[in-house]
Amino acid sequence: MSLPVVLQRVKDLGYKVFDGDADYDLNIVGIRSKDTTVNTFNDLMTVSYKVKGQWFTRSWACTTDPGLYWMQNPMRVDGCAQLVCGQYRGSHKLGKHRGQYNALVQTGNKVRVYRDPDKDETFDQAIESITEGYFGINIHRANSRNTSRRVDKWSAGCQVIADPKGFEDFIKLCRKQVSTNGWDSFSYTLIEEW
């Protein structure tokens, strides 16, 4: 059985695809849109996995970019964070986002981020700004009160699924990986739209 299109792209980029025989061995892939409009949920979060040898892929609108509020009011002097495209093996585990609700939290391996300190409405991806570490780049949700559908304060660099119901489906799949296989760490791959 051939790979889902998104996983073929991941493989073509030289990253690991979890395509063994285990059910619910999740491939979590964010796709950053070519559309660079700031403050929008214009990206895609995908999860691909097998059940009894058959591939399934789910996807949800998300942002892989920080919201305008945090770009203009960064938490750090060196600027707001934006995750660098790449594969982050074992980078996340189930936990509480800011102690409030279940999410995938960065408690495993380090990630790499760009920093943009100029506080304008364009995110600069300067190679020299890249730093690696533990920055709390979680995978979480916006909420149903976000009727404007703008990112605003929902992301200071996190990967944020726009729809809370879709996010609950995402978390159920993560729990299914843990209950089926006992694997409590999750890899995250961020790629650009092709």
Side-chain angles (χ1 to χ4, degrees):
M1 175 174 270
S2 62
L3 288 174
V5 173
V6 65
L7 294 189
Q8 187 59 56
R9 181 63 179 160
V10 168
K11 187 174 183 178
D12 291 347
L13 290 169
Y15 300 128
K16 170 74 175 159
V17 170
F18 304 102
D19 60 354
D21 292 330
D23 290 351
Y24 297 101
D25 190 357
L26 303 187
N27 292 272
I28 302 172
V29 181
I31 303 172
R32 182 171 283 150
S33 175
K34 290 179 184 179
D35 174 4
T36 58
T37 304
V38 175
N39 222 33
T40 58
F41 290 99
N42 59 355
D43 302 318
L44 200 62
M45 181 68 62
T46 70
V47 178
S48 299
Y49 56 95
K50 281 184 182 178
V51 177
K52 297 181 180 173
Q54 182 177 349
W55 280 108
F56 295 88
T57 298
R58 301 284 312 274
S59 62
W60 305 272
C62 75
T63 185
T64 64
D65 307 314
L68 185 59
Y69 176 85
W70 294 113
M71 289 173 64
Q72 295 178 332
N73 302 279
M75 292 184 208
R76 293 172 45 145
V77 174
D78 55 350
C80 189
Q82 183 189 49
L83 192 64
V84 175
C85 286
Q87 186 170 65
Y88 301 100
R89 299 281 299 274
S91 57
H92 289 78
K93 292 189 176 196
L94 285 165
K96 297 284 186 186
H97 176 64
R98 300 180 72 185
Q100 298 174 359
Y101 59 87
N102 293 321
L104 284 190
V105 296
Q106 187 203 349
T107 58
N109 292 320
K110 296 177 182 178
V111 299
R112 297 183 328 134
V113 298
Y114 297 104
R115 292 285 177 185
D116 183 8
D118 64 14
K119 301 181 184 179
D120 65 8
E121 293 187 16
T122 303
F123 204 96
D124 303 317
Q125 295 178 332
I127 301 282
E128 61 274 7
S129 77
I130 294 175
T131 56
E132 183 176 51
Y134 298 98
F135 306 114
I137 304 294
N138 298 340
I139 302 174
H140 66 91
R141 62 163 170 80
N143 76 27
S144 56
R145 292 188 307 254
N146 185 20
T147 55
S148 70
R149 307 304 292 163
R150 294 181 355 191
V151 177
D152 293 328
K153 292 184 179 181
W154 289 109
S155 176
C158 289
Q159 314 295 280
V160 182
I161 294 174
D163 177 41
K165 290 183 182 191
F167 179 75
E168 281 305 312
D169 291 340
F170 171 81
I171 289 297
K172 284 177 186 173
L173 285 172
C174 294
R175 288 187 182 125
K176 193 73 172 171
Q177 175 181 293
V178 175
S179 66
T180 301
N181 303 299
W183 305 330
D184 66 349
S185 73
F186 298 84
S187 296
Y188 178 57
T189 307
L190 177 61
I191 62 175
E192 294 181 343
E193 180 183 9
W194 67 101

